[in-house]
Amino acid sequence: MYIEVVVGLPIDKAFTYAVPKELEQDIEIGKRVLVPFGRQQQGKPLQGYIVNILLDSFSPTYKVKDILKILDPKPILTPEMLKLTQWLATYYLSTWGEVIESALPIRGTSRTSQRSHTGQTDQACPTSYPLKLTAEQAQALETITPYIKNNQFKVFLLHGITGSGKTEVYLQAISEGLKAGKGAIVLVPEIALTPQTVERFKSRFGETIAVLHSKLSRKERLLQWRRIQAGEAEIVIGARSAVFAPIENLGLIVIDEEHETTYKQYDATPRYQARDVAIMRAKFNNAVTILGSATPSLETFYNTSINKSIYLNLPCRIDHKPLAEVEIVDMKEEHKMGNYGIFSNKLKQEIAVRLKRQEQVIIFLNRRGFATFIQCLDCGATLKCPNCEITLTYHFHDKMLKCHYCYFQKTAPEVCPKCQGTQIKYSGTGTQKVENELQKLFPQVKISRMDLDTTKKRGSHENILSFFQSQGDILVGTQMIAKGLDFPKITLVGVISVDVGLNLPDFRASERIFALLTQVAGRAGRGQRPGLVIIQTYNPDNPTIQFAKTQDYHSFYANEISFRKELNYPPFAHLANIIVKGKEEEHTIKLAQTIAAHLRMMNKAQTSLILGPAPCPLTKIKQEYRWQILLKGSPKSLQELLKTVSARISIPKDLKITIDIDPIGLL
Ligand code: ADP
Ligand code: ZN
């Protein structure tokens, strides 16, 4: 007997092995096997996955090695999972074995976690019962349920702000599925940030739920996996990789906050988008996917507009509590009045009022490690690439402004081309500086800071939040405080540097900022008192900021989608980003150029658009130079183009390339 085995290495083929007679009766597709691997006579033992059993008539024309051992009593991969992982490998240009390894709970740390997050509830939580649905919720549920019961593939967008009752719809849709004998997967952006959601699922469904936590040890993860496989858990809740959970009779996949970037694995192969995998998986299983969001991604909303998926809307909050009011402060006016500080007078006043009333304040900074666009402080102008409409990045060493998509460049002006102003600013403000300034303004108050620096240690995240909740006055933080916080005493949110986010050299910058501002605004006024949000900006007329002020998603979408269409960005085209990395700048550039030239040669029919090479916006990370080539086209044309490249270009030892299909960020 001969079988085909794939292994978790970047080698895109299946290997043929012979099966010793005594192991033959235990061979099944989907089981793991130990195989000798490598050139040597014996080879190194390596774990592989049986993907095919060859016909009896197969007779090899070369020497085939024997497998060493079968590792599973039962297949760990179902036929469905094999099909799904094969699709992933093709789409994301990974190898089948690599995809399988990342889908299974067998990789990763083997440390034991400090706290137990196993599916068994630690203490019995109070049971929660289904609520009587509002008319909108009922309509959403009634639309979804028949598809689950009739085994009909369908994607739904459940659009509604926080507190509009989306989770209750997920819960009841899952119940309907359970009644029909079907399991469910619920994806949340990050388990650690959504404890309340997880608790609600546990208290509704009790023992039949498994929580796949990223902090689970490998052993705990395997345990959960086995519980799910054995049918003991019919519902799985987890982050991105839970999309691969081995639920057998899958009826429904829910993706909460579907617009969140954490659903894309951007830092390891396969660079998959869990949202798209979920949709594919639902398709293979004749199941349903519900995408929930207050600010759907452009792709998701676009799909409803072309009837690829069904739009469901929950237009208001269950308790009819009004949204926080949003005010915009023009920082140019502040400068005219001689205030060149971080805080506008309005924000300072409002902070003082809250402190007096013993309410809490959040100061939010939108900051990513670097902020090297330039901006005129008098008129707020920034400079964009004439070809790509993305912000030009300022490079200190040669004082040039560069486009990171197409490599357009020009010298940085000394006076503003728009208003002739000479006050040109080169970077943003850090959280530490904000904290110091606040402490100077309000010496008596307790300020907490939450950013990458203060949350490096395990548990620090929780500590900062519990301190703030119990006795803090002001919480200063970055992106990570935008999500999930539900503290009734917060009545004011100040947004300091919205311009940094608007001007990131990324075509998704506006989408991100709109979602972020909506989310941040949701932090204020969750208790009895109404909330206020103050956004400080140099561009008060920027459409995204205006739409955020009225929290008007539909107008935002209409505006943004026309920009995407005009420049052929997603959802109108797919992107692939090739990043070349290396310690030697010259070698890195040279390889990037070679690849780009090759791509252009292969692209004679012009089915794709090839931009670059250009330095990545984060040009150097950890001593490595990074250059990118950006491709636009259909998935098929991109795949074909990229395949020929990886087949024909040899990568020198000192360089690395990564290919990211449907990249989420281009930094
Ligand atoms: P979302 O997921 O959109 O943030 P939730 O489902 O969490 O919204 O609902 C917000 C709050 O309203 C929760 O406290 C929830 O228990 C409550 N709620 C949801 N649906 C109903 C309902 N039909 N009747 C009463 N309360 C509800
Ligand atoms: Zn450009």
Side-chain angles (χ1 to χ4, degrees), residues 271-374:
R271 292 179 160 71
Y272 66 93
Q273 166 58 271
R275 186 175 69 213
D276 296 333
V277 178
I279 292 171
M280 225 41 206
R281 199 166 170 201
K283 199 170 182 175
F284 290 160
N285 280 282
N286 301 315
V288 159
T289 302
I290 305 177
L291 308 174
S293 177
T295 50
S297 62
L298 270 265
E299 286 88 340
T300 295
F301 196 89
Y302 177 73
N303 282 339
T304 66
S305 77
I306 56 169
N307 295 322
K308 254 178 111 173
S309 54
I310 295 180
Y311 180 72
L312 302 167
N313 193 14
L314 300 178
C316 36
R317 282 188 170 160
I318 293 285
D319 54 12
H320 292 280
K321 211 168 265 172
L323 293 172
E325 195 179 316
V326 180
E327 271 189 46
I328 293 168
V329 174
D330 185 351
M331 290 308 279
K332 300 189 303 271
E333 294 299 320
E334 296 288 317
H335 295 339
K336 278 187 199 150
M337 294 185 292
N339 176 11
Y340 279 86
I342 298 174
F343 301 100
S344 61
N345 289 321
K346 172 80 183 165
L347 184 53
K348 279 190 277 198
Q349 280 162 17
E350 294 290 342
I351 293 174
V353 170
R354 310 295 133 157
L355 293 173
K356 214 167 180 181
R357 285 201 230 140
Q358 307 213 320
E359 294 169 2
Q360 292 179 311
V361 176
I362 284 186
I363 300 296
F364 178 79
L365 260 102
N366 183 52
R367 184 163 164 75
R368 313 280 290 262
F370 78 119
T372 48
F373 68 103
I374 66 167

Side-chain angles (χ1 to χ4, degrees), residues 563-575 609 632-633:
F563 152 73
R564 299 281 182 93
K565 182 155 198 185
E566 199 176 314
L567 288 136
N568 206 25
Y569 282 124
F572 299 98
H574 283 255
L575 301 181
L609 184 69
K632 280 187 200 175

